[in-house]
């Protein structure tokens, strides 16, 4: 393990993790809402927001898949040290997957849950170049009327929502900001 893996976690773990966890939960509860987060300094190319999400959501029981350019020794070591989460090569075995949209796609192959256990599905932490409250139109639980969010594409999210109650959940990350897109959210082109 490289020494760089030892740093970059929460400075004041009890306080920082509580704030970060609430921000992630607010983002998932209110799809399309962009939340600012702080406290993590993960190795490149992981953003602060993705690092915060990994720190508060992952543990020894949540296998993580690193896609594309995010599959680096530095990130594997950092995740292992700070969370204990095992990094897996098989996307189907992952509870969380992290990377850019192009590397995470196509979405088939990730766990989407089972009729009796829809919660046994993966959450994709998608690194984005921009995350803005405009673009695709979002409706559904947690959204008063409608919301808008810049998405990497629309069709994949529409197909995912059509599988509800099965499907994937998404955390979209850019710099120190994140937004949630649960499987219950309906997506239309903006």
């Amino acid at each position: 393990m490289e020494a760089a893996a030892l740093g970059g976690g929460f400075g004041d773990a009890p306080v920082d993790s509580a704030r970060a966890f609430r921000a992630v939960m607010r983002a998932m509860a209110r799809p399309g809402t962009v939340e600012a987060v702080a406290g993590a300094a993960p190795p490149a190319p992981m953003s602060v927001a993705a690092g915060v999400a990994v720190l508060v959501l992952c543990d020894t029981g949540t296998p993580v898949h690193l896609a594309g350019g995010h599959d680096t020794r530095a990130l594997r070591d950092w995740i292992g040290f700070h969370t204990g989460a095992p990094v897996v090569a098989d996307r189907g075995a992952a509870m969380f997957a992290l990377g850019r949209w192009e590397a995470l796609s196509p979405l088939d192959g990730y766990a989407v849950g089972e009729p009796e256990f829809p919660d046994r599905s993966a959450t994709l932490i998608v690194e984005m170049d921009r995350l803005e409250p405009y673009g695709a139109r979002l409706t559904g639980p947690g959204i008063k009327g409608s919301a808008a969010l810049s998405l990497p594409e629309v069709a994949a999210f529409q197909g995912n929502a059509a599988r509800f109650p099965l499907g994937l959940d998404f955390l979209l990350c850019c710099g120190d900001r994140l937004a949630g897109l649960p499987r219950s959210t309906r997506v239309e082109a903006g």
Side-chain angles (χ1 to χ4, degrees):
M1 180 178 294
E2 295 183 21
L6 305 179
F10 292 130
D12 185 359
V15 173
D16 293 345
S17 63
R19 286 183 181 141
F21 185 76
R22 282 193 302 270
V24 170
M25 292 300 103
R26 277 193 311 267
M28 290 302 287
R30 298 181 187 118
T33 301
V34 177
E35 294 278 340
V37 295
M46 186 188 289
S47 67
V48 168
V52 163
V54 167
L55 289 176
V56 299
L57 297 176
C58 298
D59 60 27
T60 57
T62 57
V64 176
H65 172 71
L66 299 174
H70 282 71
D71 189 10
T72 66
R73 179 175 177 190
L75 283 179
R76 287 191 301 272
D77 288 350
W78 188 83
I79 290 169
F81 176 76
H82 288 283
T83 71
V87 176
V88 296
D90 177 15
R91 64 175 51 194
M95 292 185 71
F96 292 93
L98 170 68
R100 297 194 54 80
W101 181 253
E102 302 78 23
L104 292 167
S105 297
L107 301 182
D108 55 336
Y110 295 103
V112 295
E114 304 164 16
E116 298 82 21
F117 301 100
D119 59 317
R120 293 183 182 169
S121 62
T123 298
L124 275 57
I125 302 171
V126 183
E127 296 275 22
M128 310 268 292
D129 290 330
R130 64 183 182 91
L131 187 59
E132 304 295 337
Y134 60 82
R137 182 175 181 269
L138 312 178
T139 57
I143 303 171
K144 184 176 182 178
S146 67
L149 190 63
S150 55
L151 298 177
E153 70 172 274
V154 171
F157 294 102
Q158 289 173 326
N160 185 61
R163 301 174 90 162
F164 184 81
L166 303 181
L168 304 169
D169 296 315
F170 299 89
L171 279 171
L172 308 171
C173 300
C174 181
D176 66 349
R177 298 173 308 125
L178 58 82
L181 193 66
R183 68 191 81 178
S184 59
T185 304
R186 292 178 297 280
V187 178
E188 302 170 21

